[in-house]
């Protein structure tokens, strides 16, 4: 089992920045590729960014490319999502997820989510 706990969400004005974090416990964190997803009210959950177990490979949704950066620190069992130039449409609950394969869409473990609200 892997437990994932997100933090760092909050309220920010449009154009601002926020960094959300996800700390993992349980099984070896570095065995897993990690992703961030988000779900806005009334919408389906969508993938935002992903990172391989080593951190060498990353991927982003088109809507956040150039604004968001995913990173990880395996020594701290933590994955981060740095969000810059935030827009009101970025408002959502952000979830981290652990996957057994970087290339797979199958999520093995989910965090409980952290709310990010961007005001206009």
């Amino acid at each position: 089992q892997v437990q994932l706990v997100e933090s760092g969400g909050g309220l920010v004005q449009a154009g601002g920045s926020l960094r959300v974090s996800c700390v993992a416990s349980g099984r070896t964190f570095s065995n897993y590729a990690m992703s961030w997803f988000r779900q806005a009210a009334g919408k389906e959950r969508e993938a935002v960014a992903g990172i391989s177990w080593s951190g060498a490979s990353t991927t982003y949704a088109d809507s956040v490319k150039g604004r968001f950066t995913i990173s990880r620190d395996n020594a701290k069992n933590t994955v981060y999502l740095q969000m810059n130039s935030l827009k009101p449409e970025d408002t959502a609950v952000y979830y981290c997820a652990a996957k057994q394969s970087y290339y797979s869409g199958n999520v093995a473990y989910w965090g409980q989510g952290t709310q990010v609200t961007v005001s206009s």
Side-chain angles (χ1 to χ4, degrees):
Q1 283 279 7
V2 174
Q3 293 78 41
L4 303 173
V5 179
E6 300 97 333
S7 62
L11 175 65
V12 63
Q13 288 189 332
S17 298
L18 204 61
R19 188 177 80 162
V20 291
S21 303
C22 173
V23 178
S25 60
R27 293 195 173 190
T28 305
F29 175 70
S30 58
N31 285 349
Y32 295 89
M34 298 297 295
S35 291
W36 285 96
F37 289 75
R38 67 186 181 187
Q39 187 167 20
K43 296 188 177 182
E44 292 189 356
R45 191 172 298 190
E46 62 173 352
V48 174
I51 189 166
S52 61
W53 68 270
S54 67
S57 298
T58 57
T59 185
Y60 298 92
D62 287 344
S63 58
V64 307
K65 274 181 186 175
R67 300 188 298 122
F68 289 12
T69 302
I70 188 171
S71 61
R72 68 189 294 164
D73 185 338
N74 287 342
K76 295 182 178 180
N77 288 355
T78 303
V79 61
Y80 305 97
L81 185 67
Q82 176 68 44
M83 303 181 287
N84 299 329
S85 302
L86 281 160
K87 305 175 182 180
E89 51 263 44
D90 294 318
T91 295
V93 178
Y94 283 72
Y95 299 90
C96 73
K99 304 193 300 180
Q100 291 184 326
S101 170
Y102 175 69
Y103 299 102
S104 169
N106 295 328
V107 172
Y109 303 100
W110 289 99
Q112 84 290 349
T114 185
Q115 177 70 47
V116 171
T117 303
V118 184
S119 63
S120 56

